[in-house]
Amino acid sequence: MFKGVLIEKDPQNYTATVKDLDDSVLMDGDTLVSVAYSTLNYKDALAITGKSPVVRKFPLIPGIDLAGSVISCTSGKFKAGDQVLLNGFGVGEIHCGGLAQKAQLNSDWLIALPKALSAKQAMAIGTAGYTAMLCIMALQKHGVMPNCGEILVTGANGGVGSYAIAILAKLGYNVVAATGRVAEAEYLKALGASEIIDRHTLSEPGRALAKERWAGVIDSVGSHTLVNACASTKYGGIVAACGLAQGMDLPGSVAPFILRGITLAGIDSVMRPVKDRTEAWDRLAKLLDSKTLEDVATEIGLAQVCDTAQHLLDGKVRGRIVVNVNQL
């Protein structure tokens, strides 16, 4: 038996509770992992609360991230005791995920935990930090370097935003953070933001073209915020879009694309090839120090997951939530 969060659904009820589980709840996979830490992401919160149809198979253990040690692997890719991590690949959506003490997974979904990181540190980074790194890699491949100008980060108090600011600042970029919680300005400045702007300056309908300001943008918000970010991106700049906290719609104009030649780069972290994952995680391990990880992450136990999921959706969570699955 092992403990985990289980989401169940019938015609009348949708529930997420911490339960004692046995191996029969686990799904097919060639690798059995003893999970040490998981995380609570925005997508996990949607799954746990049922606010969005993230989960497509029931019953299901949520959790799109996990880190732990291999118990057994029949594919030969890993051996017992190997430290591994996982982000995405439908885990926590259509396959039982990381918010439990065990996970049965496909070895092709796993990568080796970078030696410089502990399981807890890797989950302090999680999908949020990994996605932020993919966004930064997109900016750099487009040629946006620190001397090109300001970088806008929206949803700055969230996990992706927090890590994007910290990593960009470490790399020497001038970062402007957009947030709805301007009272958190000191936290964002401590991460490396040079200026804080109120998200309401971006979240309402705006002009098709605004004054050019941003050399690049990392947006985890979507909707009008993404449209306004595009409208104020400099000629030839790039906007990396990775989230939809405001909405999935894109109520904008083609003007920034055909008149200023900007690029809108979609950043998918779920099905990203292993080569890109490995590059991103190797860079994260080198760039993020233990103090940054401690500043950004808060640790909770399994018993706190369901309540914290609602707090996250209510905008009451700052930074990252790390879940110690062996602590209640």
Side-chain angles (χ1 to χ4, degrees):
M1 301 292 288
F2 62 96
K3 292 189 181 296
V5 177
L6 191 69
I7 298 175
E8 298 173 280
K9 182 182 180 183
D10 61 38
Q12 285 76 42
N13 300 295
Y14 185 105
T15 61
T17 51
V18 177
K19 291 191 168 185
D20 288 315
L21 307 171
D22 61 40
D23 288 0
S24 66
V25 76
L26 299 175
M27 296 178 173
D28 291 342
D30 57 30
T31 306
L32 182 63
V33 175
S34 174
V35 181
Y37 288 90
S38 185
T39 64
L40 189 63
N41 297 284
Y42 191 81
K43 185 182 285 186
D44 298 320
L46 291 172
I48 288 165
T49 60
K51 294 291 175 65
S52 183
V54 170
V55 177
R56 300 191 289 280
K57 287 187 178 181
F58 299 91
L60 192 97
I61 297 167
I64 65 173
D65 290 333
L66 64 86
S69 59
V70 172
I71 297 172
S72 62
C73 178
T74 59
S75 74
K77 185 175 180 180
F78 298 101
K79 64 181 186 299
D82 282 351
Q83 300 295 301
V84 293
L85 66 84
L86 177 141
N87 312 106
F89 282 117
V91 172
E93 300 177 67
I94 58 174
H95 192 99
C96 283
L99 286 168
Q101 294 168 335
K102 278 187 184 180
Q104 187 86 33
L105 305 160
N106 187 327
S107 58
D108 289 339
W109 301 340
L110 300 165
I111 66 171
L113 180 71
K115 294 187 184 302
L117 296 173
S118 67
K120 180 179 177 180
Q121 288 174 326
M123 290 298 95
I125 297 169
T127 284
Y130 155 62
T131 302
M133 190 72 247
L134 292 175
C135 291
I136 292 165
M137 287 162 57
L139 265 61
Q140 292 182 326
K141 287 174 183 176
H142 193 75
V144 178
M145 296 295 120
N147 62 357
C148 292
E150 295 175 310
I151 307 297
L152 172 68
V153 175
T154 68
N157 272 293
V160 173
S162 294
Y163 276 120
I165 293 166
I167 298 166
L168 286 166
K170 184 101 173 183
L171 292 170
Y173 289 87
N174 184 7
V175 186
V176 177
T179 179
R181 288 177 274 169
V182 291
E184 301 278 9
E186 291 309 311
Y187 163 75
L188 297 172
K189 288 181 178 178
L191 289 176
S194 61
E195 183 182 344
I196 315 299
I197 61 175
D198 194 308
R199 73 179 178 198
H200 296 300
T201 62
L202 297 166
S203 61
E204 301 298 327
R207 299 167 59 186
L209 283 176
K211 183 179 179 181
E212 295 180 56
R213 181 170 182 183
W214 318 117
V217 178
I218 294 177
D219 175 68
S220 60
V221 179
S223 192
H224 290 291
T225 298
L226 174 56
V227 169
N228 287 322
C230 290
S232 51
T233 296
K234 289 181 178 181
Y235 188 93
I238 180 172
V239 178
C242 65
L244 44 71
Q246 186 178 1
M248 290 185 68
D249 57 328
L250 192 64
S253 163
V254 299
F257 307 100
I258 64 174
L259 297 179
R260 289 184 181 162
I262 77 160
T263 295
L264 178 59
I267 306 299
D268 166 61
S269 62
V270 177
M271 302 305 295
R272 199 76 175 203
V274 168
K275 178 178 177 292
D276 291 348
R277 292 169 181 268
T278 303
E279 179 185 350
W281 276 100
D282 285 347
R283 292 187 66 181
L284 287 163
K286 292 173 184 174
L287 285 168
L288 292 172
D289 56 59
S290 58
K291 184 181 184 305
T292 299
L293 298 179
E294 289 168 5
D295 289 345
V296 171
T298 301
E299 181 178 330
I300 64 172
L302 271 179
Q304 299 167 269
V305 164
C306 295
D307 287 342
T308 307
Q310 186 58 58
H311 296 329
L312 196 159
L313 295 185
D314 291 340
K316 297 176 181 177
V317 172
R318 183 180 79 182
R320 294 280 296 149
I321 298 295
V322 178
V323 182
N324 182 343
V325 299
N326 296 298
Q327 172 188 314
L328 290 178

